[in-house]
Amino acid sequence: MTIKYVAEPFRIKMVETLKVLSREEREEKIKDAKYNLFNLKSEDVYIDLCTDSGTNAMSSEQWAGIMVGDESYAGSKSYFKLMEAGKDIFGYEIIQPVHQGRAAEKVLFPVLISKGKYAIANMFFDTTRAHVELAGGRAIDCVVEEAKDPTIRAPFKGNMDVEKLEATINELGKENVGLVVMTITNNSAGGQPVSVQNMRDVSAVCKKYGIPLDIDAARFSENAYFVKQREEEFKNSSIKEITREMFSYADTFSMSAKKDAIVNMGGLIGIKEDDQELYQKVKANCISNEGFTTYGGLSGRDLEALAIGLYEGQDEDFLTYRIGQLEYLAAKLDNAGIAYQAPVGGHGLFIDAKAMFPQIPYYEYPAQALAIELYKEAGIRTSEIGSYMMGNDPDTGEQLEAQFEFTRLAVPRRVYTQAHFDIMADALIAIKDRADSIKGYRIAWQPMILRHFQAHLEPIV
Ligand code: F0G
């Protein structure tokens, strides 16, 4: 099946020139980078799919906003503009800017989670898990079973397994569960959406046991778009109506604005009710960690661009084009028999490297091998989400085996065109054609924690 590429609902006014290295030069660069893509200079990358976070192209309206941003320390005009946008879109009483998503987690989570308490999510993103643990808590994932099989095409693979959630609360004792988190879309499961019905069911369980519900809202607009496409009840609703409905079931949200709010830096915390007691605690953490409440670690111009970007990310024509790009690439991979977390998610394509390289065991990092091949083949930078990222057992030092060996092609917003997507597909197909000859990697050096950012690798010959 071929699907049509949804044409860009914008035209290009400013360009950033890219350099294309030869294959020999790329082989040299990746060797010098110790086969770690984080060590590459961005100027040596042709198509950068390392992340969709903070890598988006701002609009002319946002750049115009940058010029009128109010840099006052207290009471900035841009802050009030952002407050209005946040309240309008989410329907929340209190909105607090912070500098990025993990800052929202750092400010909010210690207020909600105390030492020894559990937090349960559909799936935690790495930094959300880290901030639960830094607050003294323990993090548990309860995603639906179908998320764990890349070949099962279900509409809402990001959902919480509600029965498992309730059973886990009963097992741990409701007094020991400090927080439930719904990550929309579910990044770790492949950018898979969560349905409004699932949100309602999770909210009902939280209310029954008196546990607060937080939304990790990085890709909330993409999630709303999937709801409109796939959940019958919402097929005639606007993206804004769906967003309001989704957020009405939670108590708070923490958000990285570097994704769906189409800015390069920013984050938000939202509190639904006018809960001054909670807000005071958030304010205290924000002032000591991020900055005074009316700027929260951002420049006035960032607040202004964010207020505009929140609306642009909700635009249905934009979302149709955005998800359309991923669906276009996915259809090409279907034709070529390349397996990925299906159906394709909102912000990226997660290639099943275990299926592509059955000869490479998890401890020789098949998804890292694919990431390296993609760079060598076409100058494409991706990231590994598998055993290499997972690391070693802290007790035994043994390599852990991840559930998936994914190579993630995360797509920045409004940055790459159809021709770039064709290059991605062609590169993957070329690699698949010589998949038998690809070998794995071993680690030559690794730091103690978060090793994937820094480790040195060498090819197994
Ligand atoms: N929550 C989710 C679901 C995320 O995907 C991210 C970041 C964060 C929180 C943290 O936000 O980076 O602004 O501090 N995800 C990026 C990624 C880094 O590449 O998936 P941040």
Side-chain angles (χ1 to χ4, degrees):
M1 191 190 73
T2 48
I3 71 161
K4 225 173 154 221
Y5 184 88
V6 180
E8 283 74 13
F10 53 81
R11 58 182 173 178
I12 297 164
K13 182 177 240 175
M14 189 189 280
V15 298
E16 199 177 342
T17 307
L18 297 173
K19 195 165 69 177
V20 187
L21 301 180
S22 67
R23 193 184 170 99
E24 291 70 36
E25 285 171 317
R26 287 196 296 267
E27 284 183 355
E28 206 50 42
K29 297 283 181 195
I30 192 70
K31 188 169 173 229
D32 290 347
K34 315 275 190 231
Y35 298 98
N36 183 334
L37 293 114
F38 289 103
N39 287 337
L40 288 172
K41 286 189 183 153
S42 65
E43 62 179 12
D44 295 330
V45 174
Y46 179 52
I47 302 178
D48 204 343
L49 308 177
C50 179
T51 180
D52 65 317
S53 180
T55 53
N56 306 303
M58 290 206 294
S59 66
S60 49
E61 284 78 10
Q62 286 176 295
W63 281 109
I66 294 272
M67 298 308 290
V68 297
D70 176 356
E71 302 301 338
S72 304
Y73 189 98
S76 156
K77 229 175 3 188
S78 304
Y79 166 78
F80 291 107
K81 182 166 175 175
L82 177 60
M83 289 308 95
E84 263 175 49
K87 287 180 187 182
D88 177 40
I89 289 174
F90 302 108
Y92 277 33
E93 290 293 329
I94 297 167
I95 302 286
Q96 175 60 58
V98 288
H99 89 272
Q100 65 181 90
R102 65 201 74 181
E105 295 149 18
K106 183 178 177 184
V107 168
L108 182 64
F109 285 8
V111 176
L112 301 173
I113 303 163
S114 51
K115 200 167 164 28
K117 289 271 171 93
Y118 289 87
I120 306 173
N122 50 347
M123 270 178 111
F124 284 100
F125 178 68
D126 324 10
T127 61
T128 28
R129 179 181 300 277
H131 280 289
V132 165
E133 288 165 5
L134 284 168
R138 269 171 283 177
I140 299 176
D141 290 341
C142 281
V143 73
V144 287
E145 278 304 309
E146 59 259 34
K148 297 174 186 169
D149 182 345
T151 63
I152 297 177
R153 289 183 190 239
F156 292 106
K157 280 171 94 168
N159 278 355
M160 178 85 87
D161 181 334
V162 181
E163 266 179 37
K164 195 167 165 196
L165 168 69
E166 191 159 9
T168 308
I169 294 170
N170 284 320
E171 200 178 299
L172 298 170
K174 65 178 183 197
E175 63 289 352
N176 296 318
V177 181
L179 185 66
V180 171
V181 178
M182 286 295 269
T183 311
I184 65 169
T185 59
N186 187 334
N187 184 2
S188 310
Q192 297 293 320
V194 169
S195 69
V196 171
Q197 189 54 48
N198 189 247
M199 195 72 191
R200 283 184 188 134
D201 296 343
V202 168
S203 166
V205 170
C206 289
K207 288 212 165 67
K208 179 171 164 190
Y209 294 100
I211 302 167
L213 176 56
D214 180 63
I215 296 180
D216 179 358
R219 300 177 181 87
F220 69 102
S221 293
E222 289 169 6
N223 200 89
Y225 179 80
F226 282 120
V227 165
K228 180 162 179 150
Q229 299 301 308
R230 298 180 186 174
E231 204 166 355
E232 181 65 22
E233 183 187 342
F234 296 98
K235 68 172 194 258
N236 296 320
S237 306
S238 68
I239 297 297
K240 186 172 168 187
E241 284 163 350
I242 297 168
T243 301
R244 280 272 190 133
E245 178 83 11
M246 197 85 180
F247 280 74
S248 73
Y249 296 107
D251 303 296
T252 57
F253 72 81
S254 40
M255 179 175 136
S256 167
K258 299 169 69 173
K259 286 88 170 168
D260 277 4
I262 326 186
V263 287
N264 304 116
M265 194 53 71
L268 291 176
I269 293 170
I271 303 173
K272 188 168 72 189
E273 308 295 343
D274 188 17
D275 181 342
Q276 286 299 321
E277 199 186 318
L278 178 59
Y279 187 29
Q280 282 307 327
K281 292 182 190 160
V282 165
K283 269 187 183 172
N285 270 354
C286 184
I287 294 171
S288 49
N289 287 299
E290 288 286 286
F292 185 61
T293 45
T294 65
Y295 72 90
L298 291 170
S299 304
R301 51 182 171 268
D302 293 334
L303 300 171
E304 191 81 25
L306 174 47
I308 298 165
L310 278 170
Y311 285 105
E312 292 186 359
Q314 293 251 290
D315 181 84
E316 205 170 323
D317 289 341
F318 160 70
L319 288 165
T320 307
Y321 141 80
R322 161 108 180 124
I323 306 298
Q325 281 191 320
L326 273 308
E327 287 172 346
Y328 174 79
L329 178 58
K332 284 183 169 252
L333 301 193
D334 287 338
N335 290 341
I338 295 174
Y340 57 90
Q341 173 66 303
V344 65
H347 69 292
L349 215 132
F350 291 55
I351 309 282
D352 185 348
K354 209 191 289 193
M356 192 180 288
F357 305 134
Q359 75 277 18
I360 307 179
Y362 70 92
Y363 50 83
E364 292 175 4
Y365 317 123
Q368 180 68 8
L370 178 55
I372 293 165
E373 286 307 311
L374 275 167
Y375 178 71
K376 287 202 235 169
E377 183 69 32
I380 299 169
R381 173 157 63 179
T382 53
S383 55
E384 191 267 8
I385 302 189
S387 299
Y388 170 55
M389 187 186 205
M390 187 164 235
N392 298 325
D393 185 310
D395 297 326
T396 65
E398 290 277 302
Q399 172 66 52
L400 294 165
E401 180 173 5
Q403 181 132 35
F404 306 112
E405 303 294 342
F406 283 143
T407 305
R408 183 180 80 164
L409 283 70
V411 180
R413 291 162 189 77
R414 307 192 289 211
V415 171
Y416 293 113
T417 64
Q418 181 172 11
H420 292 117
F421 280 81
D422 289 339
I423 291 171
M424 296 171 206
D426 291 347
L428 283 162
I429 292 165
I431 295 165
K432 182 172 187 264
D433 287 345
R434 54 180 167 78
D436 292 351
S437 66
I438 310 288
K439 297 209 168 86
Y441 286 79
R442 75 166 71 84
I443 290 183
W445 172 82
Q446 56 188 316
M448 290 290 283
I449 53 158
L450 294 172
R451 71 170 183 198
H452 59 288
F453 288 119
Q454 296 191 71
H456 299 170
L457 294 146
E458 53 194 28
I460 293 171
V461 282

